Amino acid sequence: MKELVAVLDFGSQYAQLIARRIRELGVYSEIVHHGVTRDELIEMNPKALILSGGPASVLDPEHPTMDERILDLNVPIFGICYGMQLLALLLSGTVDKGRSGEYGPARLDVADDTSIFNGLAQQLDVWMSHGDHVTIVPDGYKMLAQTATCSVASMGNDTKKIYGVQFHPEVVHTLQGMDMLRNFLYRVAGCRGGWTMTKFIEESIERIRSQVADSNVICALSGGVDSAVVAALIDRAIGDRMKAVFVDNGLLRAREVDDIQSMFTDDYPLHITIVDAKKEFLEALQGVTDPEEKRKIIGETFIRIFQAETKDINHADFLAQGTLYPDVIESRSAHGGPSAMIKSHHNVGGLPEDLQFALIEPLKELFKDEVRILGKELGLPEKLLKRKPFPGPGLAVRIIGDVTEESLEVLRHADSVVKEEILKYEHFEDVWQAFAVLLPVKTVGVMGDERTYANVIAIRIVSSLDGMTADWMRLPHDVLTRMSSRIINEVHGVNRVVYDISSKPPSTIEWE
């Protein structure tokens, strides 16, 4: 039976990172809502529980909490930041508002190295982010570590196997955080480990075959890594009972259709159908400027086209798509958690209620870098796996405002310049995404001694590991100069180029 560590999400921006770290240590993990019941957890049969941090205060009367009966399940528990404070509160310890918050790096003095700090130094560099703190540990618990400003930076009960830390072991700034998590998983919880992508493939194929039975599957193939990996996985599971459909929605980058046709005919052959639906999408988007409405219109139009493609296929009961964990997290609170919905992804929040398909989403608990590892295991070509992410709604969410054939042509040309130039960049492997955005403003310029009043293009180039967080790339000035000069000189109707220097958070990677 597969080992599972459940991460109870209290709204932390790091909840997904906790899950990733556990997987990196060879144990499968999933994020669940903090309100999960005792009976639901018994059904999940977790090997251990981790309580995430969160933005709330346990001193607030309306603070997020958990089913207290879970504490009696005899399952090892590790509370992080808010998670530790909640444990202390529920177990009749004391939590107080600190005189001052503790944010950023801190020096941890270890008082007990027999459990989660086993084998580590007596002083450790950790990362703090809290205002409240535990002042008195519950009966039966002991203080395991402290800092100069936090008298209880860690607490634990060896008999109950319940531990808490005030800092964040999941972030890279806590230098030996992975060692602490490893100690909890293997020394405390007794995990065996061994979760790998090979096992994920085996389990997924078995699950797909069981779910599909004798039916046929329509696979929404966008040409990106995610949908290609889904197609390869389902192809391995049910063979020619899968039909891959690529929809030309008119919102694609330059030469995209030709590239897709070549890739899935020559590089990785699949039974693929290309549907020309440019007219349908542009008509549906006419006059629409709200980004949420754009995404939902695009999602619904995709589904209507897939439905039309199934008319001549018996028992085409399933739609497969490359939904990833970040898509689900941003489209709605993670598993209903207290974190806010950021935007509707066309393949999650943008799906119509009368879907008429059962969904197959084998990657919805994976992050982008995990999907690339999975694709390599499945034998997909390196050229495909290195393709940069491209949003399902395409250029529609990179045109701020009304989507027209004219605006698409301007953006498509500018975007191709960015793509060509970034491919020449010596550190191209470090780039997560590189693209152009057409802004809804015009500015005055001078071209050939004449006044112009033309469009503005924003360039967005970021680095990231999994798409959950990202930082803008500090490109050499000569690279940016070439991009700007070429766009202004080669793209008709543009006289100004700006560079986006926002990180995620607080911004998202895409502008809409």
Side-chain angles (χ1 to χ4, degrees):
M1 181 179 293
K2 178 175 69 177
E3 292 178 321
L4 166 68
V5 171
V7 178
L8 274 62
D9 179 14
F10 290 92
S12 170
Q13 60 179 315
Y14 297 133
Q16 295 77 33
L17 188 56
I18 297 169
R20 277 188 44 76
R21 295 292 184 245
I22 297 167
R23 294 184 196 182
E24 287 171 9
L25 290 167
V27 181
Y28 184 69
S29 63
E30 289 185 8
I31 298 173
V32 298
H33 182 243
H34 67 86
V36 63
T37 67
R38 178 181 184 274
D39 291 341
E40 287 170 335
L41 274 180
I42 290 174
E43 185 76 19
M44 293 175 67
N45 191 31
K47 192 77 174 175
L49 304 178
I50 294 186
L51 313 186
S52 83
S57 167
V58 296
L59 302 177
D60 185 336
E62 302 299 322
H63 69 270
T65 189
M66 60 184 282
D67 185 343
E68 292 186 43
R69 300 174 300 161
I70 291 171
L71 298 175
D72 299 322
L73 280 180
N74 198 30
V75 174
I77 299 175
F78 190 8
I80 296 175
C81 197
Y82 180 93
M84 181 178 97
Q85 296 164 10
L86 182 63
L87 284 173
L89 197 69
L90 295 177
L91 294 165
S92 301
T94 302
V95 179
D96 289 324
K97 179 72 69 177
R99 293 181 182 176
S100 62
E102 191 175 23
Y103 303 97
R107 177 60 57 89
L108 187 77
D109 293 312
V110 176
D112 187 310
D113 62 359
T114 60
S115 53
I116 57 176
F117 298 112
N118 184 268
L120 306 185
Q122 295 300 303
Q123 285 196 321
L124 300 167
D125 292 320
V126 300
W127 187 263
M128 292 283 193
S129 182
H130 69 101
D132 303 341
H133 61 126
V134 177
T135 51
I136 301 176
V137 300
D139 287 344
Y141 286 72
K142 55 185 175 180
M143 184 273 290
L144 303 180
Q146 59 187 354
T147 70
T149 58
C150 185
S151 60
V152 183
S154 179
M155 68 179 195
N157 183 311
D158 296 331
T159 303
K160 292 183 177 295
K161 297 184 177 181
I162 296 178
Y163 299 90
V165 294
Q166 185 55 70
F167 53 89
H168 289 271
E170 71 275 21
V171 303
V172 295
H173 310 292
T174 297
L175 300 183
Q176 291 187 278
M178 289 291 276
D179 295 319
M180 300 170 200
L181 290 171
R182 183 182 291 107
N183 278 335
F184 174 71
L185 293 173
Y186 291 96
R187 291 184 60 84
V188 176
C191 292
R192 299 183 307 276
W195 184 80
T196 63
M197 277 301 168
T198 300
K199 286 192 175 182
F200 179 86
I201 292 172
E202 294 169 357
E203 292 167 0
S204 296
I205 288 174
E206 183 178 336
R207 189 162 52 246
I208 290 166
R209 287 173 177 166
S210 174
Q211 183 180 0
V212 171
D214 296 326
S215 297
N216 292 296
V217 176
I218 299 295
C219 182
L221 186 66
S222 71
V225 176
D226 311 330
S227 61
V229 169
V230 168
L233 195 58
I234 296 175
D235 182 62
R236 186 173 292 192
I238 63 171
D240 60 8
R241 285 192 289 124
M242 180 201 72
K243 177 182 180 182
V245 177
F246 176 80
V247 178
D248 179 1
N249 58 13
L251 309 172
L252 303 174
R253 293 168 292 193
R255 301 176 294 279
E256 188 85 358
V257 177
D258 292 340
D259 289 346
I260 296 303
Q261 179 81 61
S262 171
M263 188 171 299
F264 293 104
T265 301
D266 304 325
D267 299 313
Y268 193 86
L270 282 176
H271 178 58
I272 181 173
T273 298
I274 296 179
V275 179
D276 185 346
K278 294 189 286 290
K279 182 179 178 182
E280 290 93 325
F281 278 88
L282 287 176
E283 287 180 354
L285 288 168
Q286 187 173 2
V288 177
T289 58
D290 180 75
E292 275 296 291
E293 192 177 351
K294 281 183 187 178
R295 289 176 176 274
K296 289 178 179 178
I297 287 171
I298 290 168
E300 183 165 346
T301 306
F302 266 120
I303 295 301
R304 300 304 174 220
I305 290 167
F306 293 137
Q307 288 170 343
E309 286 299 306
T310 65
K311 288 181 179 177
D312 299 326
I313 303 175
N314 293 326
H315 303 295
D317 302 322
F318 292 90
L319 174 68
Q321 54 183 16
T323 305
L324 301 190
Y325 220 170
D327 299 339
V328 176
I329 292 162
E330 290 187 340
S331 293
R332 52 179 179 259
S333 297
H335 300 270
S339 53
M341 187 275 278
I342 297 170
K343 59 187 177 184
S344 294
H345 285 257
H346 76 288
N347 56 343
V348 184
L351 295 177
E353 292 183 7
D354 59 331
L355 188 57
Q356 298 179 29
F357 291 108
L359 287 178
I360 298 179
E361 298 174 309
L363 311 183
K364 69 179 181 180
E365 298 291 349
L366 298 185
F367 293 90
K368 191 76 172 189
D369 55 320
E370 293 178 309
V371 173
R372 287 197 170 98
I373 295 170
L374 176 58
K376 191 170 184 177
E377 291 272 348
L378 289 167
L380 288 166
E382 195 75 10
K383 180 171 74 172
L384 174 60
L385 296 177
K386 287 185 176 180
R387 280 173 67 89
K388 302 302 180 185
F390 184 64
L395 300 181
V397 291
R398 294 177 179 173
I399 294 173
I400 314 304
D402 194 9
V403 180
T404 65
E405 289 190 20
E406 180 184 6
S407 61
L408 281 166
E409 185 57 33
V410 170
L411 180 57
R412 194 174 282 122
H413 194 170
D415 189 75
S416 67
V417 171
V418 173
K419 181 180 177 181
E420 288 169 13
E421 291 300 327
I422 203 66
L423 283 170
K424 301 173 187 175
Y425 178 46
E426 61 178 332
H427 299 296
F428 173 72
E429 294 294 327
D430 297 332
V431 174
W432 175 264
Q433 273 180 276
F435 56 89
V437 179
L438 179 60
L439 303 187
V441 295
K442 291 189 176 183
T443 66
V444 174
V446 178
M447 302 177 79
D449 294 328
E450 292 185 2
R451 177 187 186 275
T452 62
Y453 191 60
N455 294 302
V456 179
I457 289 289
I459 296 174
R460 179 73 158 147
I461 302 175
V462 298
S463 60
S464 178
L465 177 64
D466 50 32
M468 288 304 303
T469 59
D471 197 13
W472 61 280
M473 294 283 292
R474 277 67 167 172
L475 291 182
H477 290 175
D478 62 319
V479 176
L480 291 173
T481 299
R482 284 197 303 272
M483 288 182 182
S484 175
S485 179
R486 284 193 57 194
I487 290 172
I488 290 172
N489 282 284
E490 297 175 20
V491 182
H492 179 69
V494 175
N495 70 357
R496 191 178 299 271
V497 173
V498 297
Y499 191 48
D500 183 346
I501 58 171
S502 310
S503 62
K504 175 185 179 180
S507 304
T508 53
I509 295 176
E510 297 292 341
W511 277 48
E512 290 192 340

